[in-house]
Structures are given as structure tokens and as C-alpha cells.
């Protein structure tokens, strides 16, 4: 069963498998016998795509005037980032990567439009709404990406490439379904396509829009802005760290302002969005990649859901740099109460939080606090220069909102852009 569990975890749609081991079995002795091939009846994931469907997609790509690629976490899990880069370079199709797809494509690339959806870029969302062909690669059309479903990508022929057949057609009607491993699919597709040169007007329009509509916020010299803090983390680490986040506003700012250029650099709770996920996931990432810098970005609410793991960092000298973006509230809930529930604030106040510096010190972990830019630069540099775990609390503006924002129930081009 252990062999089967590893097989399931590492093939098809990869992910954790739970094995319930009874006490007598866990206490028994056995010899390890390697198993080369595991065959499970009823579990035969399709990795090789259907050739006819590939031809259909290649033809659709050649015909299209306004194509867009939507790449998701599947690209990262399948190790398809190099094939994706080659595919984009050949076809010159503008690309957007979902929250879980960040790092699957280099953020510095001229055809990258940023993230789509609820807190995505104006350019990514508008391009999806105007596209005549949307090629989804290892993405699942999550509601945070699609917004109102029956106004999503209204002009597009939809190609959906996914290893899990249950995903195809689940949320969005698909014109060209392709079941297979996204790396295989791209490698087979690359020789079938060549379209650079076509859709020049489309690319120009998108490049202009990207240039005119970057993420923006009102900076301040009096109070720290959370977006500025993420920019500081990005600049000082040159986008090379493994970043994990918890759930909330800080998660979205991290996704918007940290510039990922390599896969397996970003761990965040999509879908379930479970607060308390961020810090333990950073510890796991650090143990798996001991030579890389791992930054755990948390809100002051979620940090308190697994803060006891500071003990694990201290005992095992796990050098995670723990960032607390302290806005003194359950920020994402405050934002919804402000913008959608007309300022009727309810149970968002975190004024009773502990002193995070003292909390870290109580566990034997170095704690630092910053309330302005100079302190922030200094504290963060000290954290980077300190071997071992460090917690840095950045005390930031309480009322800051994440923009752009697509309110629930709107189509993704109906975005609140925030104050100028
Ligand atoms: C376990 C859990 N409880 C509640 C929620 C709902 N929720 C989503 S974001 C959020 C606020 C998070 O606040 P904080 O950790 O301070 O981060 P911020 O939004 O301020 O960055 C809440 C309560 C959740 N996602 N998970």
C-alpha cells in the first residue's frame, strides 16, 4: 500500500495521499522490497494526449487573431516550464499565469501579463475577455480566476489541457479538450505550431496596456505600505527566494509584487485558502531546499494560527525568515466589509495580538520590528544577515486595500481600481 500511495502521489494529478497505519502494523518489522511497476486497477492517468485534438488546437492557434494562454499550477507540477517558455517564444502568444502558476513562466518576459482574476492585472483580465482563443494549460478555471462564469471569455474558443479528465468541462464549456500531461502536450504541440508574426496588432495592444496599467499603490513616507514591504523583499532577494504565504491581503500583495522567475519558488494556499498554512509550509520548503532562502509571509491573524511552529525552527535551527505584515486587522475580511458591506465592520480587530517580537524571543527566535522605511530596510537586512530563523514584524497601514479587485458576481473586466 505504501508503494501504491507513492505511485498515486507522484503520477497523474500529483498530490498528498493519506495512509491510515494501524498501531500493530507500525510496530511490526518488515524488509523493504523495491517495486518497479505499480499497477492499480481503475487508476491509469492519461499522460499522452489525443493526436487529433492536438491537430485541432494547432489549427486553432494558426487561425486565431487574439489568442491568450492561461497557465496554472499544473505547469509547475509537471515540470513543463521550459516547454512552456519555448511554446510561447515560438507562437508569441500573450500569457497570464494563475495564482498557483506563478513561477511557471518568467515574470520578466515581454509576453507575460501577470496574474488574472479577482486581484489580477487589468491587462490579463481584459485580454481574456477579448480573446478569440483561450488555451488553458494545467489550470482549473477557479472562481477567483473566472469571476461571473456566464460572462467569462465570451468570444473565445476554449482549449483545456489537463491531466485530470474530471476538470475538463467542469466549470467552463470546452471546445478543444485535451487530457494529458501538460509537458507531453507542449512537447508534441511545439513542432505543429509556428505563428510568430500573426496577431501583431493584438500583441502591441497588450504590451501597451501592460505598460499603462501596472499594479499601483499610494506610497507614504509616514507609514509603511504593505506593497512597499513586498517590493523590498523582492529587490533584496532579486526574486530568487522561495516565498510562502498565508491567506489574506498579504497573500495577494505577495503574488502581485514579488516577481517570480523560476518554478517551485512559490507556495500558497489556493482553493481552500486555509489560514495557518503559510508558516508550516515554509518550514517544509526549507527542509526540502536547505540551500535556498525561504521567506514565510504572514498576516498578523494567520501568524497566530501556527505560531507555535517557531519552536520547531528554534529546536532544529531551520533558517526561515518569518515576515509578519501587521495591519492590526483581519485585513481581507476588513476589505470586504468596507467595500461590499458598506463599512459595517465586525470582528476584524486584532488589537489583542501578542507582541510578535516578544513572541519570537519567547521561543528563542530573533525578533525584529519595523514601523518605517528606514527601520524596515535595516531590520530586513539584519534578518538576511543572521543565520538561523528570524521573525520580522512590519507594522503597516491598517486601511490599505488590495487593488484591482473584481467583486464577487462580476465579470473579470469589471474591476475596482482603487483610488489614484
Ligand atoms: C482557517 C481560516 N479561517 C478563516 C478564513 C477566512 N479568512 C480569509 S482571509 C482572512 C483574514 C486574514 O487576516 P490576516 O491573517 O491578518 O491577513 P491579512 O488579510 O490582514 O493580510 C480570513 C479570516 C480562512 N481563510 N481560513
Amino acid at each position: 500500500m505504501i508503494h501504491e500511495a507513492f505511485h498515486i502521489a507522484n503520477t497523474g494529478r500529483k498530490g498528498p495521499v493519506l495512509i491510515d497505519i494501524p498501531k500493530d502494523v507500525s510496530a511490526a518489522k518488515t524488509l523493504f522490497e523495491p517495486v518497479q511497476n505499480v499497477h492499480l486497477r481503475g487508476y491509469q492517468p492519461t499522460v499522452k494526449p489525443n493526436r487529433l485534438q492536438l491537430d485541432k488546437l494547432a489549427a486553432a492557434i494558426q487561425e486565431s487573431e487574439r489568442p491568450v494562454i492561461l497557465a496554472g499550477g499544473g505547469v509547475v507540477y509537471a515540470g513543463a516550464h521550459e516547454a512552456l517558455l519555448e511554446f510561447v517564444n515560438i507562437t508569441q502568444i500573450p500569457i497570464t499565469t494563475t495564482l498557483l502558476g506563478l513561477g511557471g513562466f518568467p515574470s520578466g518576459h515581454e509576453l507575460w501579463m501577470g496574474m488574472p482574476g479577482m486581484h489580477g492585472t487589468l491587462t490579463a483580465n481584459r485580454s481574456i475577455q477579448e480573446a478569440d482563443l483561450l488555451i488553458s494549460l494545467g489550470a482549473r478555471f477557479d472562481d477567483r480566476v473566472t469571476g461571473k462564469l456566464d460572462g467569462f471569455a465570451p468570444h473565445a474558443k476554449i482549449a483545456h489541457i489537463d491531466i485530470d479528465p474530471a476538470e475538463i468541462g467542469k466549470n467552463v464549456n470546452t471546445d478543444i479538450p485535451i487530457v494529458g500531461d501538460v509537458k507531453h502536450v507542449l512537447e508534441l504541440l511545439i513542432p505543429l505550431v509556428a505563428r510568430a508574426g500573426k496577431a501583431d496588432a493584438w500583441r502591441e495592444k497588450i504590451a501597451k496596456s501592460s505598460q499603462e496599467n501596472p499594479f499601483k499603490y499610494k506610497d507614504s513616507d509616514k507609514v509603511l505600505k504593505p506593497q512597499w514591504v513586498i517590493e523590498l523583499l523582492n529587490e533584496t532577494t532579486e526574486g530568487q527566494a522561495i516565498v510562502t504565504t498565508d491567506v489574506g491581503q498579504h497573500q495577494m500583495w505577495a503574488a502581485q509584487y514579488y516577481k517570480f522567475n523560476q518554478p517551485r519558488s512559490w507556495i500558497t494556499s489556493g482553493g481552500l485558502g486555509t489560514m495557518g498554512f503559510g508558516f508550516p509550509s515554509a518550514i517544509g520548503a526549507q527542509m526540502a531546499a536547505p540551500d535556498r532562502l525561504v521567506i514565510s509571509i504572514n498576516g498578523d491573524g494567520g501568524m497566530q494560527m501556527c505560531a507555535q511552529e517557531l519552536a520547531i525552527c528554534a529546536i532544529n535551527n531551520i533558517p526561515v525568515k518569518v515576515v509578519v505584515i501587521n495591519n492590526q486587522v483581519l485585513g481581507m475580511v476588513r476589505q470586504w466589509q468596507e467595500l461590499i458591506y458598506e463599512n459595517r465592520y465586525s470582528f476584524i480587530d486584532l488589537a489583542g495580538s501578542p507582541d510578535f517580537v516578544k513572541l519570537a524571543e519567547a521561543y528563542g527566535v530573533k525578533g525584529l520590528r519595523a514601523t518605517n522605511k528606514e527601520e524596515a530596510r535595516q531590520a530586513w537586512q539584519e534578518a538576511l544577515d543572521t543565520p538561523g530563523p528570524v521573525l520580522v514584524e512590519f507594522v503597516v497601514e491598517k486601511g490599505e486595500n488590495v487593488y484591482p479587485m473584481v467583486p464577487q458576481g462580476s465579470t473579470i473586466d469589471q474591476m475596482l481600481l482603487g483610488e489614484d
Side-chain angles (χ1 to χ4, degrees):
M1 194 157 285
I2 303 266
H3 287 301
E4 288 178 7
F6 273 96
H7 178 65
I8 292 170
N10 280 319
T11 55
R13 188 173 183 172
K14 294 174 187 171
V17 177
L18 178 77
I19 314 174
D20 189 352
I21 303 179
K23 180 73 179 75
D24 58 343
V25 174
S26 73
K29 287 188 177 171
T30 184
L31 286 177
F32 176 75
E33 285 173 31
V35 172
Q36 299 304 333
N37 292 310
V38 179
H39 285 292
L40 285 172
R41 271 176 63 198
Y43 179 77
Q44 302 295 337
T46 307
V47 290
K48 290 205 177 110
N50 177 302
R51 180 62 203 235
L52 287 177
Q53 294 298 89
L54 283 182
D55 287 340
K56 240 189 192 180
L57 176 54
I61 288 171
Q62 300 302 346
E63 281 163 21
S64 144
E65 284 174 7
R66 298 184 309 281
V68 167
I69 295 169
L70 171 69
V75 167
V76 178
Y77 304 137
H81 52 282
E82 280 170 8
L84 177 61
L85 182 60
E86 191 181 345
F87 180 68
V88 172
N89 283 338
I90 291 171
T91 59
Q92 292 287 303
I93 299 177
I95 173 168
T96 170
T97 43
T98 68
L99 180 68
L100 295 183
L102 293 174
F105 191 80
S107 64
H109 197 287
E110 58 182 8
L111 290 166
W112 187 67
M113 297 184 282
M115 182 171 79
M118 183 174 277
H119 295 296
T121 66
L122 189 83
T123 306
N125 283 358
R126 278 196 186 149
S127 72
I128 289 173
Q129 292 304 88
E130 289 173 22
D132 64 0
L133 175 66
L134 182 62
I135 307 166
S136 170
L137 299 166
R140 65 200 161 101
F141 295 109
D142 179 66
D143 64 47
R144 299 290 153 114
V145 166
T146 62
K148 188 177 168 204
L149 261 180
D150 62 5
F152 176 72
H155 312 293
K157 194 181 255 192
I158 299 210
H160 191 172
I161 293 96
D162 205 295
I163 195 150
D164 183 354
E167 282 297 336
I168 292 184
K170 189 179 83 179
N171 297 331
V172 169
N173 288 333
T174 308
D175 301 284
I176 308 176
I178 300 182
V179 178
D181 176 287
V182 66
K183 188 172 173 211
H184 282 283
V185 172
L186 286 170
E187 283 170 356
L188 291 171
L189 204 53
I190 284 167
L192 304 181
V193 288
R195 73 183 302 285
K198 208 173 169 201
D200 276 344
W202 176 237
R203 274 191 296 278
E204 273 161 30
K205 182 176 172 181
I206 283 175
K208 187 160 175 271
S209 170
S210 283
Q211 204 171 31
E212 288 172 359
N213 301 289
F215 288 127
K216 56 178 195 268
Y217 64 96
K218 231 193 221 166
D219 201 6
S220 161
D221 283 325
K222 293 201 181 74
V223 57
L224 267 182
K225 290 293 181 115
Q227 301 93 329
W228 183 89
V229 173
I230 306 293
E231 285 181 331
L232 173 73
L233 306 184
N234 181 51
E235 282 158 21
T236 48
T237 60
E238 292 171 357
Q240 297 295 312
I242 294 179
V243 175
T244 85
T245 76
D246 209 64
V247 177
Q249 290 181 311
H250 67 280
Q251 176 186 31
M252 293 300 125
W253 287 315
Q256 292 178 335
Y257 290 93
Y258 200 90
K259 299 298 171 206
F260 297 94
N261 285 310
Q262 49 178 324
R264 300 195 170 273
S265 300
W266 168 244
I267 299 178
T268 197
S269 180
L272 284 178
T274 339
M275 287 168 73
F277 168 91
F279 180 31
S281 69
I283 294 173
Q286 186 74 82
M287 296 189 82
D291 298 330
R292 284 187 68 186
L293 172 66
V294 177
I295 306 174
S296 163
I297 304 178
N298 307 274
D300 43 331
M303 185 65 213
Q304 295 181 64
M305 292 191 176
C306 280
Q308 74 278 12
E309 303 301 333
L310 285 164
I312 296 294
C313 287
I315 294 166
N316 299 290
N317 195 28
I318 297 170
V320 170
K321 308 304 172 202
V322 185
V323 168
V324 179
I325 305 284
N326 185 352
N327 54 2
Q328 304 104 63
V329 279
L330 291 169
M332 191 53 99
V333 181
R334 195 207 61 76
Q335 173 164 349
W336 282 50
Q337 290 177 353
E338 178 193 331
L339 298 177
I340 300 167
Y341 297 97
E342 297 165 357
N343 302 316
R344 287 163 59 171
Y345 296 119
S346 172
F347 299 100
I348 45 144
D349 196 353
L350 291 178
S353 293
D355 178 323
F356 285 101
V357 173
K358 284 188 182 158
L359 183 67
E361 286 168 353
Y363 282 101
V365 169
K366 183 184 259 196
L368 301 164
R369 176 179 297 116
T371 58
N372 59 41
K373 284 182 176 172
E374 200 188 319
E375 287 175 5
R377 282 193 199 96
Q378 264 175 21
W380 179 241
Q381 196 53 51
E382 189 175 340
L384 290 176
D385 293 343
T386 305
V390 183
L391 181 149
V392 189
E393 177 194 8
F394 295 95
V395 180
V396 301
E397 164 75 54
K398 182 174 178 176
E400 196 71 19
N401 288 330
V402 182
Y403 289 114
M405 178 180 183
V406 178
Q408 200 127 352
S410 302
T411 54
I412 54 169
D413 47 358
Q414 294 172 325
M415 306 185 85
L416 307 177
L417 298 176
E419 69 272 37
D420 258 323

